[in-house]
Every structure is written in C-alpha cells, then in structure tokens.
C-alpha cells in the first residue's frame, strides 16, 4: 500500500472541514482549496474572500492544476478541501491521484455539531425539519467567511449521500442527459410505500414512527 495519500474532505459549510484539513497538513502536507483562489488571486487583500461567480470555473481549474503539481512532486499528505461528491470535478482529482500511486481516503470534520448533522443526514427522510433548522444556523455561521445562503445548504442537504465511497467517485459516469452536477450528492427521493396486506408485511428494521426529530443542540439517540 502506498505511503503517499490524498485526503478528500467532506462536510457542509461551517462544520469544521478547514480546521480538520489544517490538522492533517500539520506534518508538512498541502491543502488544495478552491476558495483560496478568491483570497490570493482576486483582489489586493489575501485576508478577504473576494468571490466572483464568473470566476468559479477558473478557480476550480486553478486548484486542480495546483493539486496536480503537488502530486507530480510527490507531496504527502495532500488535502483536497472542497466539495467532494459523485461528479466529474471530483472524479478528476481521484483519478489523477490513483494514476500516480496515491491512496485516497475520505475525511469528515470532528466538530460536535457535524457529528449530529451527519446522523440527521443519514436519516433525512425523518429529520428534514431539524436539518433545515441547521441550514439556517450554518448559513449564519458562514457570514464571516463564505456567506453561504441557507437555501443553498438545504439543497446540498437534500442531495447528500451519506455513505459515499472513494470507489463511487472514481467510477462515476454521468447519465447522457444528466445536467452538470454541483459538488453535492444527488440521492433520489424514495418511492411512495406500497400498501401490503398485514400477513405479508415484514417489520421495518427502523420503524419511522419511533424515530424522533431532533432540534439543533439535542443529542441524537443514534450516536
């Protein structure tokens, strides 16, 4: 197994991805973050986030080129601190890393609020009201940095795939008619339940009526 590694950060805004990325890079690694383009390549003050929508694709390409140079130089670890999902954009990072002998692992933040949110995302069919409350809170927390609207966070929550694997990203192929995906994971809505006569009905592994809806700050019973 290779001793060179790429970490893909996953998580919603203001949940501690960048903090975790800095921890992983503390031993001499490199963080590749698309948002850094709007700090260092746009405007005159690197401390300010000078986002411009028309430069988004340029920023993505700039970050990927920086990532490729780090891989070519054999830097390890390399932390890709951006949205990582089943998308062509994420796939090119994974494929380039694997082709050059790197291991790729998925990493999530350690913050207590992310540990709660990630459980809510796993059971989002039952916990959407609590998730949407968290969307408002995360949006407010992001006002000092990236100013992500709550509506955008809610959309990411709706499309989140909690059990995504590196292999799924590596082998991702868009459908012919599929529109360009954002860096979140689309998960189809479950079909409406079919009415089955009682003798044929098997007990659900996790009965929906027994699953509480959490409020922000309440500890999940699944933790």
């Amino acid at each position: 197994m290779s001793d060179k590694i790429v970490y893909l950060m996953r998580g919603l805004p203001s949940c501690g991805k960048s903090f975790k990325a800095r921890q992983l890079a503390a031993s001499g690694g490199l963080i590749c973050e698309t948002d850094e383009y709007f700090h260092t390549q746009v405007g005159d003050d690197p401390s300010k986030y000078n986002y411009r929508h028309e430069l988004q694709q340029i920023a993505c390409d700039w970050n990927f080129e920086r990532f490729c140079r780090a891989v070519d130089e054999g830097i390890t670890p390399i932390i890709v601190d951006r949205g990582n999902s089943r998308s062509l954009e994420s796939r090119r990072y994974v494929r380039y890393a694997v082709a050059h002998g790197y291991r790729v692992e998925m990493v999530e933040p350690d913050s207590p609020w992310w540990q709660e949110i990630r459980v809510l995302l796993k059971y989002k069919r039952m916990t959407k009201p609590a998730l949407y409350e968290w969307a408002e809170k995360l949006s407010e927390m992001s006002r000092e940095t990236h100013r992500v609207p709550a509506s955008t966070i809610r959309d990411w929550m709706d499309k989140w795939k909690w059990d995504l694997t590196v292999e799924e990203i590596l082998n991702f192929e868009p459908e012919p008619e599929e529109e360009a995906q954002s860096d979140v994971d689309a998960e189809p809505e479950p079909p409406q339940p079919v009415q089955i006569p009682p003798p044929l009905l098997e007990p659900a592994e996790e009965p929906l009526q027994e699953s509480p809806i959490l409020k922000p700050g309440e500890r999940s019973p699944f933790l």
Side-chain angles (χ1 to χ4, degrees), residues 94-210:
V94 176
R95 289 192 173 182
Y96 197 87
V98 170
H100 290 76
Y102 276 73
R103 288 186 293 122
V104 181
E105 294 183 9
M106 211 88 74
V107 179
E108 296 184 5
D110 295 326
S111 66
W113 58 98
W114 173 248
Q115 299 309 310
E116 177 177 327
I117 293 170
R118 70 191 300 272
V119 174
L120 295 174
L121 287 167
K122 181 176 180 179
Y123 300 99
K124 62 185 178 183
R125 287 179 57 195
M126 301 169 282
T127 61
K128 187 168 288 188
L131 281 172
Y132 281 9
E133 288 190 40
W134 268 113
E136 297 290 340
K137 192 169 184 177
L138 294 177
S139 177
E140 182 178 348
M141 293 166 65
S142 76
R143 286 178 183 171
E144 297 299 320
T145 53
H146 301 158
R147 303 182 298 277
V148 184
S151 59
T152 299
I153 298 176
R154 287 195 298 269
D155 183 57
W156 290 343
M157 287 174 167
D158 289 342
K159 298 175 181 178
W160 187 267
K161 188 175 188 299
W162 69 272
D163 57 349
L164 181 68
T165 66
V166 172
E167 288 73 20
E168 288 179 285
I169 297 176
L170 179 67
N171 299 314
F172 172 76
E173 293 292 344
E175 296 295 331
E177 71 280 1
E178 186 174 307
E179 297 181 356
Q181 290 192 1
S182 60
D183 277 342
V184 291
D185 304 292
E187 186 173 87
E189 288 296 321
Q192 293 298 318
V194 178
Q195 295 297 325
I196 303 175
L200 301 179
L201 183 62
E202 295 182 1
E205 182 177 347
E206 296 171 333
L208 300 185
Q209 68 271 18
E210 295 183 9

Side-chain angles (χ1 to χ4, degrees), residues 72-96:
D72 294 344
E73 294 171 9
I75 294 174
T76 189
I78 302 173
I79 301 91
V80 182
D81 187 11
R82 55 177 296 284
N84 288 296
S85 67
R86 294 176 299 179
S87 67
L88 294 175
E89 182 68 18
S90 297
R91 189 184 72 178
R92 64 174 178 167
Y93 282 88
V94 176
R95 289 192 173 182
Y96 197 87

